[in-house]
Amino acid sequence: MRASLEPADIAIVALYFVLVMCIGFFAMWKNNRSTVSGYFLAGRSMTWVAIGASLFVSNIGSEHFIGLAGSGAASGFAVGAWEFNALMLLQLLGWVFVPVYIRSGVYTMPEYLSKRFGGHRIQIYFAALSLLLYIFTKLSVDLYSGALFIQESLGWNLYLSVILLIGMTALLTVTGGLVAVIYTDTLQALLMIIGALTLMIISLMEVGGFEEVKRRYMLASPNITSILLTYNISNTNSCNVSPKPDSLKMLREPTDEDIPWPGFLLGQTPASVWYWCADQVIVQRVLAAKNIAHAKGSTLMAGFLKLLPMFIIVVPGMISRILFVDDIACINPEHCFQVCGSRAGCSNIAYPRLVMNLVPVGLRGLMMAVMIAALMSDLDSIFNSASTIFTLDVYKLIRKSATSRELMIVGRVFVAFMVVISIAWVPIIVEMQGGQMYLYIQEVADYLTPPVAALFLMAIFWKRCNEQGAFYGGMAGFVLGAIRLILAFFYRAPECDQPDTRPGFIKHIHYMYVATALFWITGIVTVVVSLLTPPPTKEQVRTTTFWALWKRGAPDGAGKGELYQGQEKSILKCNENANHIIPNGKSEENIKNVKPEDINLLVTCRDDSNPVISVSHSEVETPVDCYSNGQAALMGEKKHEEEEGTDNRARHLKFIDWFCGFKSKNVNKRVVREVEEETVCLQMLEETPKVKLLLNTGLVCVCSLGIFMFVYFSL
């Protein structure tokens, strides 16, 4: 079934694109993207509302609209458990993980592991694993689901649509950095919620309310006789045609094939810790907060928003089965292939089918824009976070003396590289069997991420955990998980009307139980190896564990007075030699008006007597490590002279520099990345008693709501 685009729909989609690009370019023009902090962390200036909205849409991509609704159509309420679980884990991020990340002064998750354990092998392992997961689960699934929606609803050429969407998203990410991503995400969150709520109300009115949905869903079985006559199918066998008896329960029996409750609580929850508390896509947004109060506020807001998908995505998926049962609940592989082009099942078309049949003209354009918003927000999140990880955790290790300009270019080129991979993936995705796509994502992630979750939890809560323990524990879990993943792809589940000849340990052991085993094996190996090898140094655990949050004083017992006196001396020492230090790109004429404290924010002077403003031990000293707070400064007259010739560049090169966010005319802004001074980190962690009380009250409310939802939908 194909719907034709009405002029009103075209106008709404076009208006949406114009609006998004305007907001992105406004963010690009207004904000400082010429520094590592400005491009990758939005200058740590974002408020809780913008971050909360960005967290929500970074998670709710097009694969949620396709996958969650499809799983709702196929198996009922069960898939909503992931959303309520996320609601709780977001608070773990805000109250435990983010304070530790801020205290550590890090940008990326591999960088945190490197700072916590020393060395680089864990950092490289985690960076490589993250990039693999981004490309093979997030990118591939997002593009498949976005393309499926466009093809199902509009009949556009699939390749052209996807390439256009990827191109626009990459343009936005490359030019604007994280600020543009977060600003556009805020618009997209609003649009997504309005559109999805509208469809939910229309579909609930169509079937007669929520209670009627539950009653009619259990009766939604296809008319096999009618289908056999209509489609001229040679295979008359049918399978999985009736809803499961426990479709209206969320957490199910220990042997259930969708969500066994012991596996979900003990295996899926730790695996989800990686996504919500240690995945660059999510954490990078929260690290862009002004301070810890805004960070916690953003996780509370995102937590409340995570109540919505159950009602605006899963329930409409169930309604789609009620209204279009002969198509959504196809009776055998031959019938499924004729309906939607996939032999594994047609539940994935549930949401698009609902949109195209229930939504009036005009609103259909809004829903189209919502799906494009979901796809673009997910893609821009992946592009920005993957380029951050590659630039700061891989490229910086290869090129220790890279300039800020070089790092910014590499970050943007890597986005272009990921665009090429994404487009190359499209033919593979088109051939990929559909089935329940959301559960496919979870299965792949559950084989690879539990060891990472175990490492992060032990790094934060157990001071004795060392580099050897973490590395060998992580590798043991990774090897076992990778073997199980390869076996899962090798022994594919047979079509529903064929006998299952897979080995028993694959056929009968649910992937969530495998995740449980991987999590605990990683933890045990890590503990044993850590206890058999020397403990980490005091410097490695001084700012990188949860317990460091309770010791917020200056290092080595220095009092606050001594701390600030030491800073003053270092500032004066800086000023004595600051003839050629031009902060923040100011001109020579304006340098007289710069106050000493401004220079302190811009330049890190080496002073071994004051560890507060010394660089992290894990950083290799290079000529480009002299920076702080994301602002670059000129280091010495010699380099100034070397850069004077750049003023004669051609105009088109200057335009390219502006477009990419560079501001270096005759100032050598050589920045690798921001190393937050401890004083700044400590200031970010300060909360007033009133704000603390308000946030903790919100925490109790959101967690209580999550527990209530689990209980209500599981009884």
Side-chain angles (χ1 to χ4, degrees):
M1 176 182 173
R2 295 284 178 265
S4 59
L5 264 183
E6 301 291 337
D9 295 324
I10 295 173
I12 288 174
V13 175
L15 182 66
Y16 164 75
F17 271 107
V18 170
L19 201 55
V20 165
M21 296 308 286
C22 286
I23 288 176
F25 280 107
F26 172 74
M28 171 183 121
W29 166 75
K30 187 182 175 203
N31 284 276
N32 177 19
R33 302 162 295 121
S34 62
T35 64
V36 179
S37 172
Y39 181 75
F40 291 125
L41 278 190
R44 284 197 160 152
S45 61
M46 304 309 295
T47 59
W48 63 274
V49 176
I51 298 170
S54 185
L55 281 173
F56 182 67
V57 291
S58 296
N59 170 240
I60 303 291
S62 52
E63 90 283 355
H64 271 66
F65 281 98
I66 300 293
L68 268 184
S71 290
S75 61
F77 287 143
V79 76
W82 272 276
E83 302 307 299
F84 299 145
N85 201 37
L87 178 151
M88 315 280 231
L89 292 175
L90 273 164
Q91 310 324 312
L92 184 68
L93 170 68
W95 265 258
V96 175
F97 282 78
V98 164
V100 173
Y101 297 148
I102 291 175
R103 183 78 175 89
S104 307
V106 296
Y107 276 2
T108 69
M109 299 304 94
E111 179 192 6
Y112 168 75
L113 291 176
S114 177
K115 193 168 186 179
R116 168 65 176 84
F117 295 118
H120 291 299
R121 56 184 183 175
I122 292 180
Q123 182 181 5
I124 293 291
Y125 152 68
F126 184 69
L129 181 64
S130 297
L131 293 174
L132 276 175
L133 282 166
Y134 288 158
I135 291 169
F136 295 111
T137 60
K138 295 185 179 183
L139 267 183
S140 59
V141 170
D142 267 352
L143 291 176
Y144 169 69
S145 53
L148 186 73
F149 185 91
I150 292 169
Q151 194 176 45
E152 171 70 20
S153 58
L154 302 171
W156 287 0
N157 178 280
L158 185 125
Y159 298 95
L160 181 64
S161 316
V162 171
I163 289 169
L164 181 70
L165 288 174
I166 291 174
M168 286 193 64
T169 308
L171 179 68
L172 198 66
T173 310
V174 165
T175 54
L178 188 62
V179 175
V181 170
I182 290 181
Y183 276 140
T184 52
D185 277 356
T186 308
L187 168 73
Q188 289 165 355
L190 186 66
L191 195 63
M192 203 183 289
I193 291 168
I194 291 171
L197 275 172
T198 305
L199 180 59
M200 181 193 76
I201 292 165
I202 292 171
S203 57
L204 279 172
M205 288 169 63
E206 184 74 19
V207 294
F210 187 63
E211 289 302 317
E212 195 66 11
V213 169
K214 293 198 282 188
R215 187 188 70 81
R216 290 179 63 181
Y217 180 83
M218 296 307 294
L219 303 173
S221 299
N223 185 333
I224 297 172
T225 309
S226 170
I227 289 169
L228 290 174
L229 290 172
T230 306
Y231 283 91
N232 192 24
I233 297 169
S234 57
N235 181 1
T236 57
N237 295 329
S238 61
C239 48
N240 299 337
V241 292
S242 298
K244 296 170 184 174
D246 55 1
S247 290
L248 301 182
K249 280 189 176 182
M250 187 170 282
L251 297 180
R252 301 174 181 175
E253 295 298 317
T255 54
D256 184 76
E257 64 178 15
D258 289 326
I259 300 192
W261 71 264
F264 186 81
L265 295 178
L266 298 174
Q268 183 59 51
T269 301
S272 297
V273 166
W274 165 77
Y275 181 82
W276 288 108
C277 302
D279 180 18
Q280 188 69 20
V281 170
I282 299 298
V283 176
Q284 187 172 353
R285 271 139 193 74
V286 189
L287 286 181
K290 287 181 177 180
N291 53 42
I292 190 62
H294 281 278
K296 288 180 177 179
S298 69
T299 61
L300 283 176
M301 177 183 169
F304 281 113
L305 288 175
K306 286 299 281 180
L307 292 168
L308 292 175
M310 179 70 182
F311 302 100
I312 64 176
I313 302 178
V314 178
V315 171
M318 295 169 71
I319 293 171
S320 186
R321 179 183 177 124
I322 294 168
L323 298 177
F324 315 110
V325 64
D326 286 356
D327 289 345
I328 306 300
C330 49
I331 62 171
N332 60 40
E334 191 180 344
H335 176 218
C336 293
F337 189 79
Q338 289 191 33
V339 171
C340 64
S342 168
R343 297 182 65 86
C346 288
S347 60
N348 286 337
I349 67 167
Y351 202 85
R353 186 60 58 94
L354 201 64
V355 170
M356 301 319 296
N357 284 275
L358 290 192
V359 177
V361 174
L363 267 180
R364 193 181 297 163
L366 174 66
M367 289 308 300
M368 184 67 204
V370 165
M371 292 306 298
I372 294 170
L375 180 65
M376 285 184 67
S377 66
D378 241 28
L379 289 176
D380 67 23
S381 300
I382 295 163
F383 288 151
N384 189 275
S385 298
S387 69
T388 305
I389 285 181
F390 179 79
T391 306
L392 301 183
D393 292 311
V394 178
Y395 189 78
K396 183 173 179 281
L397 287 178
I398 300 167
R399 286 266 303 160
K400 290 185 174 68
S401 60
T403 62
S404 173
R405 179 188 177 82
E406 185 178 338
L407 285 176
M408 293 296 98
I409 290 173
V410 167
R412 289 156 166 90
V413 167
F414 189 73
V415 171
F417 171 71
M418 288 194 77
V419 169
V420 173
I421 290 182
S422 307
I423 294 171
W425 256 108
V426 174
I428 299 165
I429 299 156
V430 173
E431 297 303 316
M432 189 174 78
Q433 294 299 327
Q436 286 193 53
M437 187 181 65
Y438 191 75
L439 299 185
Y440 154 80
I441 305 167
Q442 301 304 331
E443 184 174 359
V444 172
D446 277 13
Y447 293 141
L448 297 176
T449 59
V452 177
L455 292 189
F456 271 89
L457 287 168
M458 298 191 80
I460 281 175
F461 288 109
W462 191 40
K463 287 184 178 181
R464 183 62 179 77
C465 184
N466 64 14
E467 195 270 348
Q468 292 95 324
F471 179 73
Y472 289 112
M475 289 310 294
F478 172 73
V479 169
L480 292 173
I483 290 171
R484 182 63 180 81
L485 180 62
I486 291 166
L487 287 173
F489 277 113
F490 186 72
Y491 292 107
R492 298 301 297 163
E495 293 179 349
C496 70
D497 57 347
Q498 300 297 317
D500 193 342
T501 58
R502 294 176 298 167
F505 70 94
I506 290 180
K507 182 167 51 175
H508 299 304
I509 299 178
H510 196 279
Y511 67 85
M512 289 185 190
Y513 291 123
V514 176
T516 308
L518 291 173
F519 179 79
W520 291 106
I521 288 170
T522 300
I524 291 166
V525 172
T526 302
V527 169
V528 171
V529 176
S530 291
L531 291 175
L532 292 175
T533 49
T537 64
K538 285 185 180 179
E539 182 61 27
Q540 284 174 344
V541 296
R542 186 170 64 80
T543 62
T544 56
T545 67
F546 181 69
W547 315 113
L549 298 173
W550 307 105
K551 298 177 183 177
R552 295 190 186 176
D556 301 327
K560 279 190 180 179
E562 294 173 28
L563 174 66
Y564 293 126
Q565 281 174 13
Q567 276 190 291
E568 275 185 42
K569 287 177 186 173
S570 67
I571 293 166
L572 292 172
K573 197 181 291 184
C574 275
N575 291 342
E576 287 171 11
N577 301 307
N579 294 333
H580 294 283
I581 295 173
I582 303 175
N584 205 21
K586 294 186 190 305
S587 64
E588 297 265 8
E589 294 78 23
N590 294 334
I591 195 67
K592 294 175 184 176
N593 299 324
V594 177
K595 297 175 183 177
E597 54 268 31
D598 293 332
I599 292 180
N600 180 45
L601 285 175
L602 302 168
V603 185
T604 298
C605 278
R606 290 284 162 262
D607 184 356
D608 295 333
S609 66
N610 186 3
V612 171
I613 51 175
S614 66
V615 175
S616 155
H617 78 285
S618 64
E619 293 303 310
V620 180
E621 287 283 353
T622 70
V624 296
D625 275 332
C626 298
Y627 60 87
S628 177
N629 245 22
Q631 303 294 330
L634 179 61
M635 294 298 151
E637 185 176 357
K638 190 173 181 180
K639 294 182 180 61
H640 175 75
E641 289 169 358
E642 289 172 1
E643 292 290 323
E644 279 181 351
T646 60
D647 224 7
N648 300 321
R649 289 176 306 171
R651 287 190 179 184
H652 68 277
L653 287 178
K654 292 181 183 178
F655 170 76
I656 291 170
D657 271 7
W658 171 83
F659 190 71
C660 285
F662 301 123
K663 295 180 184 175
S664 51
K665 281 190 177 180
N666 59 349
V667 179
N668 181 19
K669 296 196 170 187
R670 306 188 67 176
V671 183
V672 176
R673 63 168 185 73
E674 173 184 11
V675 175
E676 287 285 350
E677 294 182 33
E678 282 199 40
T679 46
V680 176
C681 294
L682 293 172
Q683 284 169 9
M684 287 184 71
L685 291 171
E686 292 299 323
E687 294 174 278
T688 62
K690 285 183 180 178
V691 169
K692 199 168 189 175
L693 178 65
L694 182 67
L695 290 169
N696 288 338
T697 304
L699 175 67
V700 172
C701 290
V702 78
C703 289
S704 302
L705 261 174
I707 294 167
F708 170 76
M709 287 294 178
F710 265 122
V711 173
Y712 176 79
F713 283 105
S714 297
L715 291 177

